[in-house]
Amino acid sequence: MISVNHAKKLISERTSQSQPVDIPIQNATGFITARDVTSPIDVPPFDNSAMDGYAIKLNKDNYVYRITHIVQAGETRHLKIGDGEAARVFTGAPIPDGADTVVQQELSERNDDFVKLNLSEIDKGEHIRLRGAQSKSGTTILQKGTLISPGTVGLLASVGIQAVSVYSSPVVSVVITGNELTPPGSELDHGLIYESNSPALVSYLKYLGVHNINVFHAPDEKEWLKKKISECLDNSDILLLTGGVSVGDYDFVHEILNEIGIERLFHKVKQRPGKPLYVGKLNSKWVFGLPGNPASVISCFNQYVKPCIKANMGFTRVWEPDARLPLENRYTKKPGLTFFLKASTVNDKIVVPDGQQSFNMLPFGAANGLAEIPEEIEMVEPGSIVNFYKW
Ligand code: AMP
Ligand code: MG
């Protein structure tokens, strides 16, 4: 049995970035850019007005200008004004040739074809957004390795880009094992329980931006399960199994993975929950044999599967805790195992609720992540600083 840190090291050594793919910018939030992005055009593409007002060639000695053009936003003609002339302009309208300043309409007094302008506080060049002021054609607007946000998508659209190259998300198969499992929504017969692992895993995957997911329910029957595992490995980058990875008579997962030649990175970690965790590889593909207990599944996903997927999707520092915070309560535990406790952060303190057993889902109601209590420790006092990992 290996330590948590050793297990993480064995995975992190083998992760790599996925193949870049071009995706529509509308789908790109949450992905990482796989290349530098340069602007194909000057933005703004032409000098334009930042105000509703009058575009003039500024002459401080002249207050009255003759209006020769009305220029709306969207005007595509090239217009021109001369000395003593003004173009009525609106925000976003192109500045006519010859004009160098926009005077906002609040400083104007209109009289038919003429406008009187208060120029006492106007400087040359005011209220004009110059061509290329945001970005010049050919300049880098996003570095490779940037996390795309809705704002980033707006930036890309502003320079006319429709698709962006990102590290792709993996195709994931989820195989849940167990004769006792009944999908939520169905009647529960005696001896059966509701199946909560696949809904939790599917939603966690979607939360990470993984949308190509296939889910299968396998009975505890070796040949059936073996066939399904092989099929899934053919069709996916990552296979997540839940249950059947322990030492019971009907726990076939480890045996099957051995038989089909999966390279085992490790099986069993000094942790609670999630001690039976199995991780293996088949070339570039990953196999995670997650324990059956639903709380173990979510904890192991958070600690091992999520960083692996995020590294694949181009994220960095994926193994680091999100915070190091003081505990609100005292916690005593068995030494020799790292504990991952469902916990919530309240006013920068970690609150650990009761009911930390691996079958008990109730703490997930309030928890926003996991607190890590190191292997060797037996008791942590209130105020002790521990690692916290958000979902
Ligand atoms: P196993 O590792 O297969 O022995 O499963 C450990 C425990 O987790 C058993 O009590 C199972 O009934 C339970 N379990 C396994 N898979 C699921 C699941 N998908 N949803 C809910 N509980 C499960
Ligand atoms: Mg089982």
Side-chain angles (χ1 to χ4, degrees), residues 222-232 256:
K222 192 173 164 191
E223 285 315 308
W224 202 103
L225 183 57
K226 189 170 175 180
K227 192 162 160 277
K228 187 46 79 183
I229 288 177
S230 299
E231 270 171 32
C232 287
I256 294 171

Side-chain angles (χ1 to χ4, degrees), residues 37-40 134-136 139-143 155-156 159 161:
V37 180
T38 53
S39 178
Q134 174 194 295
S135 39
K136 293 250 188 301
T139 54
T140 301
I141 55 165
L142 280 185
Q143 306 273 343
L155 167 62
L156 291 166
V159 302
I161 289 176

Side-chain angles (χ1 to χ4, degrees), residues 206-248:
K206 288 183 174 172
Y207 176 61
L208 298 182
V210 176
H211 293 282
N212 203 337
I213 309 165
N214 302 298
V215 180
F216 305 96
H217 177 189
D220 292 313
E221 206 235 287
K222 192 173 164 191
E223 285 315 308
W224 202 103
L225 183 57
K226 189 170 175 180
K227 192 162 160 277
K228 187 46 79 183
I229 288 177
S230 299
E231 270 171 32
C232 287
L233 283 167
D234 286 343
N235 303 326
S236 36
D237 304 307
I238 297 180
L239 168 59
L240 304 179
L241 293 141
T242 78
V245 74
S246 199
V247 293

Side-chain angles (χ1 to χ4, degrees), residues 176-177 180-181 193-197 242-246 251 292-294:
I176 49 146
T177 70
E180 71 280 31
L181 305 177
I193 59 166
Y194 281 125
E195 196 280 294
S196 54
N197 286 344
T242 78
V245 74
S246 199
D251 291 338
N293 274 307

